[in-house]
Amino acid sequence: MQDTDKSTFLFYLRPSLIGNAVGIAVTLAFTAIFALLLTLIDYNGVMLTIIAMICCGLGAFANGLSASKATKKNGLLTGAVSGFIFALILTALSLMLNSGSVSIQSAIKAAICVVCAALGGIVGVIIFYIVISSFNQFINCSKNVYDC
């Protein structure tokens, strides 16, 4: 029984690490794009908060998408676990950079990360099964043209 728990943990750990790496890269890319756009226009503090939430959501979605494509099943659970770890990483970085202050925005960002990563996980599994079913249909059609 202990071996099964360990294999289940390891089953979700590797995709979660892959997803978090992709999520952080996507978050940084969108942050750089929005930073460039903000240098061209006038903005206020509320806009920065909204842009930060959008960047976190897009990164978390990419996180869940890539994590679930690595597991190929349980997209909701895989995405939610990856999103939770992603939120922990972002919260730890925020605590280090903001001298240890946590606000309601941190909780909102964490919720956005978990929800967007769970949605990304669902989409990742759906995309995987669409590609697999299309490939299987192509293989079956190439074997017997009259069945298509």
Side-chain angles (χ1 to χ4, degrees):
M1 186 163 151
Q2 218 173 15
D3 191 33
T4 306
D5 293 337
K6 185 178 179 184
S7 66
T8 303
F9 174 73
L10 293 177
F11 179 76
Y12 288 109
L13 180 65
R14 182 178 164 270
S16 180
L17 293 175
I18 292 169
N20 280 300
V22 170
I24 289 170
V26 168
T27 302
L28 289 175
F30 277 106
T31 302
I33 290 168
F34 281 120
L36 179 66
L37 290 175
L38 287 176
T39 60
L40 302 174
I41 61 171
D42 293 331
Y43 61 91
N44 57 14
V46 175
M47 195 171 181
L48 289 176
T49 303
I50 293 170
I51 288 173
M53 302 279 185
I54 290 171
C55 290
C56 288
L58 292 171
F61 185 83
N63 176 359
L65 184 77
S66 59
S68 68
K69 286 186 85 166
T71 60
K72 300 174 182 66
K73 63 179 183 177
N74 298 334
L76 180 67
L77 179 63
T78 304
V81 168
S82 292
F84 181 73
I85 293 170
F86 187 68
L88 288 177
I89 291 170
L90 290 179
T91 303
L93 288 172
S94 177
L95 287 173
M96 286 189 286
L97 297 174
N98 291 333
S99 63
S101 63
V102 178
S103 65
I104 190 70
Q105 289 178 358
S106 300
I108 293 171
K109 283 181 193 173
I112 288 172
C113 286
V114 171
V115 170
C116 288
L119 290 174
I122 293 168
V123 170
V125 170
I126 290 171
I127 288 172
F128 172 74
Y129 282 111
I130 288 173
V131 169
I132 291 298
S133 65
S134 298
F135 182 72
N136 285 340
Q137 185 179 10
F138 173 74
I139 294 298
N140 290 337
C141 285
S142 65
K143 288 180 182 174
N144 190 356
V145 178
Y146 299 111
D147 288 340
C148 295

